[in-house]
Amino acid sequence: MGELRSNFLTRTVEWLRAGYPTGVPRQDYVALLGLLRRKLTDEEIHKIAQDLADQSQRTTDPISTADIEAMVNDAVLQPASTEDVARVSARLAAGGWPLADPPTD
């Protein structure tokens, strides 16, 4: 992975930690990763799923990386609800999520 992409992924994970300081709620995983998938590679999505799983271990409702990826894969053919997309999109926009495409190296 090139330095620009690596920087972009690092900034994405830092943004997620700042935007969701107590962890991402389960009901947002599919919509969040679905929206991020438009900007990130599959490898980058996997790394973020790992980070989300690590964060969840500090909660009363932990989840594994495999469970997160299974939730996302199960939902790929099903559209996220309008409410989910609106909620997660608003959170991304409020956190300054970049609308421009990331560097491709």
Side-chain angles (χ1 to χ4, degrees):
M1 181 182 320
E3 184 177 335
L4 288 176
R5 279 306 290 185
S6 180
N7 240 358
F8 181 74
L9 179 60
T10 299
R11 286 193 336 266
T12 301
V13 171
E14 288 170 355
W15 177 87
L16 283 171
R17 287 181 180 152
Y20 289 95
T22 59
V24 176
R26 279 183 188 238
Q27 71 269 17
D28 285 0
Y29 288 163
V30 171
L32 174 64
L33 292 176
L35 289 167
L36 291 177
R37 187 174 294 254
R38 297 176 186 170
K39 302 281 185 190
L40 302 171
T41 66
D42 287 343
E43 180 182 327
E44 291 166 336
I45 292 292
H46 177 75
K47 287 180 181 177
I48 289 173
Q50 285 177 314
D51 190 69
L52 292 173
D54 291 346
Q55 287 180 18
S56 81
Q57 298 308 308
R58 297 184 296 261
T59 70
T60 58
D61 193 19
I63 190 167
S64 71
T65 302
D67 289 338
I68 293 170
E69 290 177 335
M71 287 169 62
V72 172
N73 288 333
D74 289 347
V76 166
L77 298 177
Q78 301 173 19
S81 73
T82 303
E83 295 82 16
D84 287 344
V85 171
R87 180 182 63 254
V88 173
S89 294
R91 188 126 190 186
L92 290 170
W97 180 250
L99 299 177
D101 286 336
T104 57
D105 282 354

